[in-house]
């Protein structure tokens, strides 16, 4: 029996109007496309007969038609996206003046004539759905604060134009909907969460005043999704001055970039540009110097290299570099008198000009000083003598530099610090990864960096995996507001010693938000993971399932048989994804080769570029940010996970599981496991 016949009728009416609007929009696009093709054909046919004025008018018409077509196509595509699931919620709001309004909330706005049928989830009035239960409520409208009462709150699940359920409650109906959604199996791509955004999440998403926002969120708290929804909100709120082209996201790897790639387009915005720290290094160092890719610290524990990494991962290291660069004024440039015929620019005058351009990198000051010298000589040239060219003056000024390259300067930094052993070139003109960003930081002061002016908002995910010196360079490259997110309980590199407190020191004026509720995993899995990390602050959602299984295996072959049996069960389970997670990339590759001939499996490695459902074999570091219906952790014994740092790795691996978790070991179990 239909509990809400009024809603069924309303849905039918909305769908009818959507279909009509979509048909009309499609015809508009076809009409504009025909007009564009006809105009192109006319110009091509009569090109030799058209006068310049007519050609200009026709080219202008083409551009206008193309622009109109782009807008019309975007409108059509939004309507097409709404067609199968037009809205997910309804609120009835009564203003203090007695006026009432019925608000249906969906992904996008839909208006039919003068009637607003669907409000965008990002609209100010829609925020009340997330922030209030029935009773006193209000929202910030462009005209000011609007107060009143929520008299009704309903939530729907509409799929393929059919209303699967409708819920109404004076209590928080979102809890019921959340449970339903969390019980679903995983998707190949991260999905939008507009129907299940929680109050504390909504506050972060709609924070439009924070210049920079730091978001610390436990595993499964939805922090990445929230950050992307915040970007979608900012694109909606500031559509006149912020577009998707102005947003860049720094993601840890290409697989994760692919996994999250659908969220922004799903919310009606263009995809945002994703790059990595390695990508940025390549851009900045092209033609200057090479560098080795970051060594996996789990597979390469060479002690001297670890010492160098630890030394360069601290906030104190940045302060040392700041002290050195502050003194460059006095050390890097040793001016002497410049004389050309009867004219002389004395060294003291040159030094003053050098100091006057303090805000510019050292080498960028020299052409400006050369111009100043030429202008000075021109002013003094009463007898109209021959004067030097700026290029010749610049050559002389360049010879006054005490260092000719950033590399020579970088070597000098360690020499002056009395720590020459902390800088090692693995090969000629090739930097270790830990030296790349310190080198760039010094290069910024000496020669300058290629600074992005297009990016107006930067998203940094997995904030705990980047060092203070990397953030120092990022702040130079992207002088814009930032959304920075991650979890300092999930640090991957044992040689990184910086903390959340260090990050908050770097961004003193940033707003800070914390998410401690975990939504991804069942209560049983999250309770298990909590005990590994001793993280008392994690609050798992009350969604129950199987308790994690910890299985003792007699031999490695026995363990492999358990994995095969688990795969067979998975294939019959109805789950969409199985993640087999090992400690290292090398171990993952080894197991993959043992399984791939028998099962359709995918190896997720540093070379991978995409994520797909099914059976995936991967490492802890490559699993970061991903989720699987079921997770198997082979080799979960004391030989693999033994150090305190390994607690974090084990916690990361366990928290990838949504519904089912199995750990296998031979010999002795890992000491961190909460065995019964």
């Amino acid at each position: 029996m239909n509990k809400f016949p009024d809603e069924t009728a309303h849905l039918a009416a909305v769908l009818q109007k959507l279909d009509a609007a979509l048909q009309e929009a499609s015809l508009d696009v076809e009409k504009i496309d025909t007009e564009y093709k006809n105009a192109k054909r006319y110009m091509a046919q009569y090109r030799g007969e058209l006068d310049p004025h007519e050609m200009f008018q026709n080219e202008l018409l083409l551009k206008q038609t193309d622009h109109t077509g782009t807008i019309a196509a975007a409108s059509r595509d939004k309507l097409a996206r709404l067609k199968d699931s037009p809205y997910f919620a309804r609120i009835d709001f009564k203003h203090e003046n007695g006026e009432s309004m019925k608000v249906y909330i969906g992904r996008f706005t839909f208006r039919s004539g003068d009637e607003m049928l669907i409000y965008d989830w990002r609209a100010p009035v829609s925020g009340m759905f997330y922030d209030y239960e029935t009773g006193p409520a209000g929202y910030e409208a462009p005209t000011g604060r609007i107060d009143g009462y929520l008299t009704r709150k309903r939530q729907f699940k509409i799929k393929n134009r059919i209303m699967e359920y409708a819920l109404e409650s004076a209590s928080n109906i979102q809890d019921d909907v959340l449970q339903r959604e969390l019980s679903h199996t995983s998707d190949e791509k991260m999905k939008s969460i507009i129907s299940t955004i929680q109050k504390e999440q909504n506050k972060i998403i709609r924070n439009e005043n924070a210049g920079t926002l730091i978001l610390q969120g436990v595993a499964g708290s939805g922090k990445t999704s929230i950050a992307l929804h915040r970007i979608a909100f900012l694109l909606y709120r500031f559509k006149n001055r912020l577009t998707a082209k102005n947003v860049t996201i720094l993601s840890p790897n290409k697989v994760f970039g692919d996994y999250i790639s659908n969220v922004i387009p799903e919310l009606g915005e263009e995809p945002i540009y994703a790059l990595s720290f390695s990508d940025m290094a390549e851009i900045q160092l092209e033609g200057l110097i090479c560098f080795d890719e970051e060594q996996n610290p789990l597979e390469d524990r060479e002690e001297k290299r670890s010492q160098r990494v630890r030394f360069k991962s601290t906030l104190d290291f940045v302060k040392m570099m700041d002290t050195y660069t502050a003194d460059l004024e006095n050390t890097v440039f040793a001016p002497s008198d410049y004389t050309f015929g009867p004219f002389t620019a004395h060294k003291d005058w040159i030094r003053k000009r050098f100091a006057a351009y303090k805000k510019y990198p050292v080498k960028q000051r020299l052409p400006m000083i050369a111009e100043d010298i030429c202008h000075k000589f021109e002013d003094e040239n009463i007898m109209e003598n021959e004067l030097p060219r700026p290029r010749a003056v610049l050559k002389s000024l360049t010879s006054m530099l005490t260092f000719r390259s950033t590399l020579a300067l970088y070597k000098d930094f360690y020499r002056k610090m009395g720590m020459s052993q902390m800088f090692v070139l693995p090969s000629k003109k090739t930097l270790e990864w830990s030296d790349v960003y310190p080198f760039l930081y010094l290069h910024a002061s000496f020669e300058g960096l290629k600074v992005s002016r297009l990016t107006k908002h930067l998203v940094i995910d997995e904030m705990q995996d980047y060092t203070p010196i990397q953030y120092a360079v990022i702040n130079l490259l992207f002088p814009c507001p930032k959304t920075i997110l991650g979890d300092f309980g999930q640090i991957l590199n044992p040689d990184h010693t910086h903390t959340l407190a260090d990050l908050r020191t770097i961004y003193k004026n940033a707003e800070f938000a914390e998410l401690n509720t975990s939504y991804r995993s069942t209560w049983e899995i999250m309770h298990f993971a909590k005990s590994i990390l001793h993280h008392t602050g994690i609050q798992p959602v009350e969604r129950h399932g199987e308790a994690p299984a910890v299985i003792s295996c007699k031999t490695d072959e026995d363990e492999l048989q358990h994995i095969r049996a688990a795969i067979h069960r998975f294939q019959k389970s109805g789950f969409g994804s199985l993640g087999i997670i090992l400690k290292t990339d090398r171990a993952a590759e080894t197991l993959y080769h043992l399984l791939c001939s028998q099962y359709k499996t995918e190896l997720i490695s540093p070379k991978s570029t995409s994520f797909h459902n099914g059976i995936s074999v991967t490492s802890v570091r490559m699993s970061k940010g991903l989720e699987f219906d079921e997770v198997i952790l082979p080799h979960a014994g004391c030989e693999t996970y033994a150090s305190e740092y390994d607690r974090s790795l084990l916690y990361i691996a366990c928290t990838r599981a949504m519904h089912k978790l199995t750990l296998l070991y031979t010999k002795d179990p890992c000491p961190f496991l909460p065995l019964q």
Side-chain angles (χ1 to χ4, degrees), residues 317-319 321-322 325 406 435-446 449 469 472-473 476:
F317 178 72
V318 180
K319 294 174 181 176
M321 294 211 78
D322 284 338
T325 54
T406 303
D435 285 310
V436 169
Y437 278 82
F439 180 93
L440 285 174
Y441 195 55
L442 200 53
H443 193 65
S445 296
F446 190 57
L449 300 173
I469 194 67
V473 175
L476 295 175

Side-chain angles (χ1 to χ4, degrees), residues 73 177 217 227 273 344 353 395 528 641:
V177 173
Y273 181 53
T344 297
R353 298 314 303 155
K395 187 176 179 182
F528 183 89
Y641 298 97

Side-chain angles (χ1 to χ4, degrees), residues 482-503:
K482 298 172 180 69
T483 299
I484 305 171
L485 62 139
D487 178 14
F488 271 83
Q490 299 185 58
I491 292 179
L492 273 177
N493 194 326
D495 298 323
H496 286 182
T497 57
H498 57 288
T499 63
L500 178 58
D502 291 335
L503 187 63

Side-chain angles (χ1 to χ4, degrees), residues 540-552:
V541 166
E542 287 278 342
R543 178 175 68 85
H544 291 282
E546 292 183 40
V550 181
I551 300 172
S552 173

Side-chain angles (χ1 to χ4, degrees), residues 346-566:
H346 293 287
K347 64 181 182 180
D348 290 341
W349 183 90
I350 294 174
R351 181 168 290 284
K352 285 180 181 176
R353 298 314 303 155
F354 183 77
Y357 297 118
K358 189 179 180 72
K359 69 176 183 177
Y360 295 97
V362 168
K363 280 196 171 182
Q364 290 182 20
R365 303 184 205 185
L366 302 187
M368 293 184 279
I369 299 171
E371 291 286 347
D372 290 345
I373 290 173
C374 290
H375 291 318
K376 173 180 167 62
F377 289 177
E378 285 173 8
D379 292 341
E380 296 172 357
N381 192 14
I382 301 171
M383 305 301 294
E384 297 188 356
N385 292 315
E386 183 185 355
L387 296 174
R389 295 184 177 182
R391 185 179 295 179
V393 181
L394 177 60
K395 187 176 179 182
S396 294
L397 291 172
T398 302
S399 69
M400 301 176 194
L401 291 171
T402 56
F403 295 91
R404 298 301 173 89
S405 69
T406 303
L407 183 59
L409 206 60
Y410 192 52
K411 289 178 181 176
D412 183 68
F413 162 71
Y414 287 99
R415 183 183 61 79
K416 284 191 174 170
M417 294 298 112
M419 294 181 173
S420 296
Q421 76 279 10
M422 288 296 171
F423 177 52
V424 174
L425 288 174
S427 58
K428 190 177 179 182
K429 287 197 172 181
T430 302
L431 298 171
E432 285 186 335
W433 175 251
S434 62
D435 285 310
V436 169
Y437 278 82
F439 180 93
L440 285 174
Y441 195 55
L442 200 53
H443 193 65
S445 296
F446 190 57
E447 291 194 44
L449 300 173
K450 304 164 189 171
V451 177
S452 171
R453 299 298 177 192
L454 180 63
T455 300
K456 296 180 181 179
H457 197 101
L458 181 71
V459 182
I460 305 174
D461 205 349
E462 304 295 350
M463 63 186 181
Q464 70 280 358
D465 292 334
Y466 311 124
T467 62
I469 194 67
Q470 288 178 306
Y471 282 108
V473 175
I474 287 297
N475 293 337
L476 295 175
L477 292 174
F478 300 96
C480 62
K482 298 172 180 69
T483 299
I484 305 171
L485 62 139
D487 178 14
F488 271 83
Q490 299 185 58
I491 292 179
L492 273 177
N493 194 326
D495 298 323
H496 286 182
T497 57
H498 57 288
T499 63
L500 178 58
D502 291 335
L503 187 63
R504 296 186 71 174
T505 298
I506 295 168
Y507 296 100
K508 287 186 175 69
N509 298 320
E511 288 196 33
F512 178 76
E514 194 167 6
L515 294 172
N516 289 316
T517 302
S518 180
Y519 300 96
R520 175 188 297 136
S521 309
T522 62
W523 185 92
E524 286 77 10
I525 292 171
M526 213 58 220
H527 185 72
F528 183 89
K530 277 177 65 175
S531 64
I532 292 171
L533 202 60
H534 298 318
H535 196 319
T536 56
I538 299 175
Q539 300 163 14
V541 166
E542 287 278 342
R543 178 175 68 85
H544 291 282
E546 292 183 40
V550 181
I551 300 172
S552 173
C553 304
K554 296 175 183 177
T555 62
D556 289 345
E557 182 58 33
D558 183 35
E559 187 171 1
L560 187 60
Q561 289 304 319
H562 273 88
I563 294 171
R564 289 186 174 123

Side-chain angles (χ1 to χ4, degrees), residues 264-280:
I264 297 291
E266 200 177 67
L267 296 171
E269 304 291 347
E270 293 294 316
I272 60 178
Y273 181 53
L275 77 164
S276 66
F277 275 81
S278 183
D279 294 333
M280 286 191 297

Side-chain angles (χ1 to χ4, degrees), residues 644-657:
E644 281 299 306
Y645 165 70
D646 290 334
R647 286 185 185 273
S648 177
L649 299 180
L650 203 57
Y651 167 77
I652 294 168
C654 289
T655 55
R656 300 309 96 196

Side-chain angles (χ1 to χ4, degrees), residues 93-99 137 145-149:
F93 182 66
K94 188 174 183 179
H95 293 249
E96 285 185 327
N97 62 10
E99 182 184 347
R145 177 76 181 177
I146 307 291
D147 287 307
Y149 296 87

